[in-house]
Amino acid sequence: MQNAETVLNVIQKCGQEKKPLERVYRQLFNKELYLQAYGNLYPNKGAMTEGTTDQTVDGMSSRRIDKLIEKLREEKFQWTPVRRVYIPKKDGSKRPLGIPTWEDKLLQEVMRMRLEAYYEPNFSD
């Protein structure tokens, strides 16, 4: 299995050369990407916030990543509805905030990393 940095560098090179990405869904099976995504997410205060389930970064394990990858491989993964809370604003009104489950946050971060690696080279400074 390729390490996450190598995978993201290859994706970035494809983006720079404006080549199409291939086997995009299969790239979601790379455990190294999830470990890097975990490293990006766990320091955030929101990592301990529960979504609609009791999943948080607490108790994260390699086995949980393996289960998520297996669901994706079998095409059985389903996004969980987000928990909606309302945050008060200075003017007295409230703004909605959606809080996804930890599993969804982790997969979203993997997808964000891949999209950023591909599209970021094409944006102007």
Side-chain angles (χ1 to χ4, degrees), residues 46 49-52 81-85 97-101 105:
T49 305
E50 295 178 357
T52 53
V82 299
R83 180 168 64 109
R84 176 74 66 169
V85 294
L97 177 66
I99 304 171
T101 63
K105 285 180 196 177

Side-chain angles (χ1 to χ4, degrees), residues 1-11 22-23 26-27 29-36:
M1 184 168 308
Q2 294 178 324
N3 84 24
E5 191 173 324
T6 303
V7 171
L8 294 174
N9 285 338
V10 168
I11 292 171
E22 296 178 359
R23 300 179 179 174
R26 287 188 67 200
Q27 292 171 4
F29 306 155
N30 187 329
K31 188 174 182 175
E32 296 293 322
L33 289 172
Y34 291 89
L35 295 173
Q36 184 169 339

Side-chain angles (χ1 to χ4, degrees), residues 20 27 35 40-42 44 46 53 65 72 78-79 81 92 100 103 116 123:
Q27 292 171 4
L35 295 173
N40 294 346
L41 292 174
Y42 87 91
N44 299 338
T53 66
I65 293 173
L72 291 166
Q78 290 190 346
W79 297 99
E103 190 175 76
E116 181 180 71
F123 289 111

Side-chain angles (χ1 to χ4, degrees), residues 12 14-18 116-125:
Q12 187 174 32
C14 286
Q16 288 170 338
E17 296 172 2
K18 299 188 184 331
E116 181 180 71
Y118 186 76
Y119 288 107
E120 190 65 28
N122 296 320
F123 289 111
S124 65
D125 293 332

Side-chain angles (χ1 to χ4, degrees), residues 45-98:
K45 288 187 247 179
M48 288 300 294
T49 305
E50 295 178 357
T52 53
T53 66
D54 60 353
Q55 290 181 353
T56 63
V57 70
D58 193 32
M60 186 62 195
S61 67
S62 180
R63 187 167 183 217
R64 279 175 68 180
I65 293 173
D66 292 338
K67 284 181 181 180
L68 175 57
I69 291 171
E70 192 59 33
K71 284 182 196 176
L72 291 166
R73 196 172 264 135
E74 294 174 357
E75 297 182 9
K76 292 182 179 179
F77 177 81
Q78 290 190 346
W79 297 99
T80 309
V82 299
R83 180 168 64 109
R84 176 74 66 169
V85 294
Y86 291 88
I87 307 296
K89 292 170 59 174
K90 289 182 182 178
D91 66 1
S93 62
K94 295 183 178 188
R95 70 175 181 89
L97 177 66

